[in-house]
Amino acid sequence: MIQLLVWSVAICGWGSAQLLGCATTMSLSERTHQSAFCQKAPSKKLRVLVYNVLKGNLSNKIARDIRYYNPDIALLQEVDNKTKRSRLEKQSKLLAKKLKMYGFYAPSYRVDKGSTGQAILSRFPFKDKVVIKMPKSRNMGALATILWQNKKMVLVSTHFSSTYKPWVSHIRTSRKSRVKEARHMLEVLKKYPHTTLLGGDFNASSESLPLRILRKSLLYAGPFLPTYPASWPFMSLDHLFITSDICITRTHIGKKGVSDHRPVVFELGLRKK
């Protein structure tokens, strides 16, 4: 419970209203992502899943959760690779095989004799695969490109720094880290001026400074509903950003699965002019 309080303070601020589920930011979040919705129905739709699968879970349980939503693209965080806690599984490869998708894994940091990081699963073959490195920090994301409707599309799965200690100094440091990560992410994306989906666990609410920085260049696609903790979600940590040539037709929070986060499902298409 103390950890939840720390996260709420770090993500939403010190005010009592924010501690009650970040309530003051919800209406703002809802308004800011309205422009991401389609005004006209797209001819084809793409289903995208954003899901922090929780490090330490086994691939068969994670695959069961993902399969339920039948996504075309899955942007995953906290995917293990050859860790003892996950029975030495190469999870991105196993998930890709189990779900009959293409997979790409970007390690974030070494842990438990292996690593944990971000992964992208896709029903479309990858053209490029890049590990996004943060200077003097852990790797912060996986980037891959695909072709969809004859357009090059950039897919990014990211995991921003978390707040996990009840110390004022740590809260301040983690907030600053997320701001740096947001700015660095935009610098990376400048090299890829294409249709873009940026999703992941940002460990921040939609009205936090890091996400406001991202909204300078990308549209916030949502959700405006809480995703964490899975059993009683009251914090919105998991988000999707898109370029203006994409629009959202539907978004919803998934049911509680094997993770401590709820999965988020987006249906989107190319925006009609």
Side-chain angles (χ1 to χ4, degrees), residues 48-211:
V48 178
L49 177 74
V50 175
Y51 192 23
N52 180 326
V53 301
L54 181 61
K55 51 186 177 286
N57 280 316
L58 296 179
S59 60
N60 60 336
K61 295 182 178 180
I62 298 170
R64 181 183 60 200
D65 281 359
I66 297 172
R67 188 179 292 112
Y68 179 82
Y69 301 101
N70 191 31
D72 299 302
I73 303 292
L75 306 177
L76 309 177
Q77 299 78 51
E78 295 194 14
V79 178
D80 276 354
N81 186 64
K82 299 177 69 174
T83 62
K84 292 174 63 177
R85 65 193 177 197
S86 298
R87 300 180 186 175
L88 305 180
E89 290 185 335
K90 295 181 179 180
Q91 291 193 333
S92 62
K93 291 185 177 181
L94 288 173
L95 290 172
K97 183 177 180 179
K98 292 175 187 290
L99 297 167
K100 298 180 180 179
M101 301 173 79
Y102 297 92
F104 171 52
Y105 172 73
S108 182
Y109 58 91
R110 297 282 302 174
V111 64
D112 195 28
K113 305 294 183 178
S115 66
T116 191
Q118 283 57 258
I120 300 174
L121 301 179
S122 169
R123 299 208 181 277
F124 312 96
F126 298 123
K127 300 298 180 181
D128 306 291
K129 294 183 287 186
V130 178
V131 176
I132 301 177
K133 299 179 180 294
M134 180 71 183
K136 299 180 180 180
S137 182
R138 299 171 174 176
N139 296 339
M140 57 178 289
L143 183 152
T145 63
I146 61 170
L147 283 180
W148 186 62
Q149 294 196 64
N150 296 317
K151 287 179 69 73
K152 190 171 186 178
M153 179 177 284
V154 178
L155 311 173
V156 183
S157 174
T158 191
H159 194 177
F160 282 16
S161 295
S162 63
T163 300
Y164 53 89
K165 296 178 182 178
W167 305 334
V168 172
S169 59
H170 173 69
I171 292 173
R172 288 174 177 169
T173 300
S174 62
R175 279 182 170 178
K176 290 179 180 178
S177 294
R178 289 189 288 272
V179 170
K180 290 179 181 179
E181 288 160 355
R183 288 173 176 156
H184 182 65
M185 181 62 74
L186 291 184
E187 287 300 314
V188 170
L189 291 178
K190 285 180 181 179
K191 302 175 184 178
Y192 300 89
H194 309 289
T195 301
T196 299
L197 304 179
L198 165 63
D201 176 2
F202 292 85
N203 278 303
S205 70
S206 60
E207 290 304 309
S208 64
L209 180 55
L211 271 63

Side-chain angles (χ1 to χ4, degrees), residues 21 26 223-228 233-237 253 262:
M26 292 303 179
F224 58 90
L225 295 175
T227 57
Y228 181 88
F234 69 95
M235 288 186 286
S236 182
L237 306 183
I253 307 297
R262 294 286 185 99

